[in-house]
Amino acid sequence: MNLNFDFASFYADWAVILPECFLFIWGALILAWATGKRDEAPGGSGVFAIATLLGVLATAVWVAITPDGAAFGGTFVFDRMSVVFKEIVLGAVLLAVISSIGTVGRLRAHRGEYYGLILMSAVGMMLMVSATELLTLYVSLELSTIVLYALAAFDKTNRRSGEAGLKYVILGGISSAILLYGIALLYGLTQSTDLQTIKTAVWGMYMDGPFPPGMTLALIFILAGFGFKLALAPFHMWVPDVYEGAPTPITAYLSVASKAAALAAFVRVFFVGLESAEGIWGHAIAALAALAMIVGNVTAIVQTNIKRMLAYSSVAQIGYVMVGAVALDAYGATAMAYYMLAYLFTNMGAFICVIAFSERTGSDEIMDYSGLARRSPMLAAFFTLFLISLTGIPPTAGFLAKYYVFLAGINAGYMWLVIVGLLTSVIALYYYATVIRRMYFPSDLGDMPFPVSRSLVTALTIAALGVLYFGIFPGAFVAFVQDAARQLLAAL
């Protein structure tokens, strides 16, 4: 019996997961610090926010300088693709924290816990991005979503917030059960939860003839589970109520970070582990993408509440992202990663505008945005930029995002799907332009100017610079992600 301790292997295992460990400890310290401070002064929320931002920035730097590697028997990998999605998650945390300062200041208690929970959810998402084994992926997913349930219901003085949390718990629990059942079926067929072993086993089934019926059932359950997490139609029914009821900074964070993490997991599971079964899931993904684009955009037209409109818009946006998935190659993965980067700045920016407007008017109704350009020209200009990017008009990052996913769809032979995307983009232009028209047309609702807090201006400036920079200079990021995608598809 060898009792020698291998320090080299121990360090190699933990070196690649240290950013997640650091962020977990930092979040735990903030939670411990906040314990017993139920009635702290509103000004104290700024201290918690600064501490949270310092932890996020340190983790972002740590992720950027951590070398590639694998840990714990290959169940956790740190590669360049994981760097891309982890930085997107941390970017969403950064913008969510900056835009939360005013919202958290109005809470009666538990201000520190709010920030600590955001960090804990980010840890779960970062672990999910790097998971190459299905049970590790599932546990990471639960770590992030259970915390998000609490954050959705965090505003206890708002009935809608409680309702949002309850609906999110029930539907999220059902989706988790469906995903776990699919994983169990896949384990029964392949005798493994490791993606590399699953890839080999599925390839063997493919070579032996038609896939067994159980494989189709497993793929349906796993696809449905991911569909809930990504808010793909028809699994999107939780989105409008949760987005409307949750505190708006959490809605913004939820709309970007959780989707980025789920998308990274989707790429590893379907592009790598289940690549040989593409004949089953490829057409299903194309159908779900088309349905999401149609349902999301058509339903968004009739919304009168800005948060519900953006909720259905997000359903449509994930449909556009999934056009890149049908390509099943490095270009498709690159297009999806670029879309999520553009979506980080664009959608977070749009929701931060909603926060700024709601803080001063107490309204989320689109009608009340009439004449906003006279009351706050800067806020109207920011909101216009983000809506233009969501529509996909140059020179914004949103334009290039749609260009890349549509090109991936054309290269994969899904011309009909790209046509659906183009037609639904025209529908999207209508309801985004309706909001812009209201902001720039005078109204009888008064022209009393209202200020926007410095923290929100900072968050809006960061988001706007991201939209313009990556819309004009996408080259370096695209080249990095293409290398990352080739590394991912070649390594497993």
Side-chain angles (χ1 to χ4, degrees):
M1 184 176 179
N2 185 8
L3 297 179
N4 292 330
F5 187 77
D6 189 347
F7 281 101
S9 297
F10 178 81
Y11 177 76
D13 269 355
W14 284 97
V16 296
I17 203 172
L18 279 178
E20 284 82 356
C21 293
F22 168 77
L23 194 62
F24 178 82
I25 293 171
W26 196 269
L29 288 174
I30 289 178
L31 285 173
W33 180 19
T35 301
K37 293 181 178 295
R38 291 188 70 252
D39 299 320
E40 70 267 34
S45 63
V47 179
F48 285 117
I50 291 171
T52 307
L53 288 174
L54 289 175
V56 172
L57 290 172
T59 307
V61 173
W62 206 331
V63 167
I65 63 174
T66 299
D68 292 356
F72 312 117
T75 58
F76 183 94
V77 296
F78 192 98
D79 53 15
R80 277 175 281 181
M81 185 59 86
S82 67
V83 171
V84 172
F85 281 98
K86 286 178 184 180
E87 295 290 6
I88 290 174
V89 169
L90 290 170
V93 175
L94 184 79
L95 290 174
V97 170
I98 296 174
S99 60
S100 291
I101 293 174
T103 302
V104 176
R106 288 190 295 277
L107 296 176
R108 292 179 182 174
H110 304 302
R111 299 187 181 97
E113 285 90 336
Y114 176 92
Y115 294 114
L117 289 176
I118 289 180
L119 293 187
M120 288 300 175
S121 71
V123 172
M125 293 174 193
M126 291 172 68
L127 292 172
M128 189 163 59
V129 166
S130 285
T132 59
E133 192 267 341
L134 291 177
L135 289 183
T136 306
L137 186 154
Y138 179 78
V139 173
S140 305
L141 176 70
E142 289 305 294
L143 173 61
S144 65
T145 51
I146 288 173
V147 177
L148 288 173
Y149 300 152
L151 286 170
F154 207 84
D155 187 358
K156 290 182 287 188
T157 61
N158 186 342
R159 183 182 61 81
R160 287 187 177 277
S161 181
E163 181 183 339
L166 183 61
K167 286 184 177 177
Y168 198 17
V169 167
I170 294 172
L171 294 174
I174 293 172
S175 69
S176 294
I178 290 172
L179 177 62
L180 190 58
Y181 195 60
I183 291 173
L185 285 173
L186 193 60
Y187 174 78
L189 290 164
T190 63
Q191 301 300 301
S192 178
T193 56
D194 175 70
L195 288 179
Q196 178 63 63
T197 309
I198 289 173
K199 178 182 180 180
T200 306
V202 173
W203 178 251
M205 292 180 202
Y206 176 76
M207 295 301 290
D208 291 341
F211 284 113
M215 175 59 76
T216 304
L217 196 59
L219 288 175
I220 289 172
F221 279 113
I222 293 176
L223 195 56
F226 274 104
F228 272 104
K229 302 304 179 188
L230 289 167
L232 266 172
F235 311 109
H236 67 289
M237 63 285 291
W238 60 274
V239 173
D241 290 338
V242 173
Y243 277 32
E244 183 184 7
T248 308
I250 296 304
T251 301
Y253 174 62
L254 186 62
S255 70
V256 174
S258 67
K259 287 185 179 178
L263 195 64
F266 175 90
V267 170
R268 285 196 195 279
V269 171
F270 284 89
F271 277 47
V272 178
L274 299 172
E275 177 194 9
S276 304
E278 188 269 343
I280 299 176
W281 62 262
H283 297 299
I285 286 291
L288 290 175
L291 192 62
M293 289 186 285
I294 294 170
V295 171
N297 282 313
V298 171
T299 316
I301 289 178
V302 298
Q303 302 304 314
T304 58
N305 181 289
I306 193 77
K307 290 174 73 175
R308 292 184 75 87
M309 189 204 81
L310 289 174
Y312 283 108
S313 160
S314 75
V315 174
Q317 295 290 340
I318 198 64
Y320 294 119
V321 176
M322 299 313 285
V323 175
V326 300
L328 193 64
D329 57 14
Y331 192 87
T334 302
M336 295 165 74
Y338 183 85
Y339 205 108
M340 287 312 301
L341 177 75
Y343 197 58
L344 160 67
F345 296 110
T346 303
N347 211 49
M348 291 290 292
F351 271 110
I352 293 167
C353 290
V354 173
I355 295 169
F357 185 81
S358 180
E359 277 188 356
R360 295 297 169 186
T361 65
S363 172
D364 289 325
E365 294 302 311
I366 295 174
M367 180 72 73
D368 294 336
Y369 279 74
S370 299
L372 176 64
R374 293 181 61 182
R375 289 179 285 171
S376 180
M378 179 196 66
L379 183 59
F382 275 126
F383 205 6
T384 301
L385 174 67
F386 299 131
L387 292 175
I388 285 175
S389 187
L390 282 171
T391 308
I393 295 175
T396 61
F399 166 73
L400 285 180
K402 284 191 176 177
Y403 171 77
Y404 288 138
V405 294
F406 287 164
L407 195 57
I410 292 171
N411 291 338
Y414 282 87
M415 193 64 201
W416 68 268
L417 189 58
V418 175
I419 292 173
V420 171
L422 291 170
L423 292 175
T424 52
S425 294
V426 176
I427 300 173
L429 174 62
Y430 173 78
Y431 60 80
Y432 290 137
T434 299
V435 179
I436 296 173
R437 180 177 59 80
R438 286 199 177 280
M439 288 192 296
Y440 284 91
F441 270 64
S443 75
D444 56 358
L445 297 177
D447 54 1
M448 178 73 72
F450 62 79
V452 179
S453 67
R454 281 183 293 181
S455 60
L456 290 179
V457 171
T458 303
L460 287 170
T461 303
I462 294 171
L465 289 176
V467 167
L468 293 174
Y469 179 81
F470 288 105
I472 298 171
F473 307 106
F477 179 79
V478 170
F480 182 85
V481 178
Q482 277 185 330
D483 286 342
R486 293 192 188 101
Q487 179 197 36
L488 169 70
L489 298 179
L492 289 174

